[in-house]
């Protein structure tokens, strides 16, 4: 399996602008710029897309591990905060809220630990990954 996306940039780094298009069409000439990345401008930015990818991958991994353990998640909600510092991504913090009937806290903690270590995006990122997880 291969997936792709294309970035187009016009102009200088600070004053230019660009757009992103993904293979699926979910991103279709989606605007990004210096302001959307480093200030509060309109559009997306690479770090926001990494946060979405990490939250999505981690949450799906949780669902598969929960299934394999014989449970079914009613709802899994994950927020990912990407931290930038000194020109690098220094942390990806995942906050998970889960509703999984019948699972014990011990089983849930093991599921979270396995997903943190084995989600494909976690494996890709060369940064500290932290997780806060609550079972409702």
């Amino acid at each position: 399996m291969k997936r792709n996306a294309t970035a187009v940039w016009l102009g200088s780094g600070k004053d230019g602008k660009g757009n992103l298009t993904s293979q699926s069409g979910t991103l279709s000439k989606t605007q990004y710029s210096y302001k959307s990345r480093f200030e509060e401008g309109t559009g997306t930015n690479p770090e926001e897309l990494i946060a979405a990818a990490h939250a999505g991958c981690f949450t799906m991994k949780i669902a598969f591990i929960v299934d394999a353990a014989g449970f079914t998640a009613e709802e899994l909600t994950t927020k990912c905060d990407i931290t930038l510092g000194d020109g690098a991504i220094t942390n990806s913090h995942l906050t998970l809220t889960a509703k999984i009937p019948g699972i014990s806290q011990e089983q849930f903690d093991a599921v979270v630990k396995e997903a943190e270590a084995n989600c494909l995006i976690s494996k890709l990122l060369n940064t500290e990954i932290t997780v806060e997880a609550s079972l409702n």
Side-chain angles (χ1 to χ4, degrees):
M1 173 174 53
K2 285 187 175 184
R3 301 285 186 243
N4 70 70
T6 303
V8 175
W9 189 263
L10 306 168
S12 68
K14 190 165 185 176
D15 296 321
K17 61 183 177 180
N19 66 71
L20 302 164
T21 301
S22 62
Q23 177 180 341
S24 68
T26 299
L27 299 176
S28 180
K29 295 187 178 180
T30 303
Q31 175 183 328
Y32 79 113
S33 66
Y34 177 89
K35 286 186 178 185
S36 70
R37 188 169 188 190
F38 299 111
E39 296 173 4
E40 294 298 322
T42 302
T44 191
N45 58 69
E47 293 74 25
E48 180 179 70
L49 297 172
I50 291 168
H54 201 189
C57 182
F58 176 78
T59 305
M60 187 177 278
K61 186 66 172 177
I62 292 278
F64 277 108
I65 298 167
V66 166
D67 290 350
F71 301 96
T72 301
E74 280 186 20
E75 184 173 339
L76 303 169
T77 303
T78 305
K79 177 184 178 191
C80 179
D81 292 296
I82 295 291
T83 303
L84 288 173
D86 297 324
I89 293 174
T90 58
N91 180 268
S92 180
H93 181 74
L94 299 159
T95 304
L96 167 67
T97 303
K99 187 172 183 183
I100 309 167
I103 197 168
S104 71
Q105 186 66 51
E106 183 180 337
Q107 290 168 315
F108 177 68
D109 292 344
V111 164
V112 170
K113 186 174 181 175
E114 183 179 339
E116 178 184 358
N118 294 305
C119 147
L120 296 176
I121 301 300
S122 292
K123 289 179 174 184
L124 176 68
L125 294 174
N126 184 22
T127 193
E128 175 188 35
I129 297 169
T130 55
V131 179
E132 233 175 284
S134 61
L135 180 61
N136 295 333

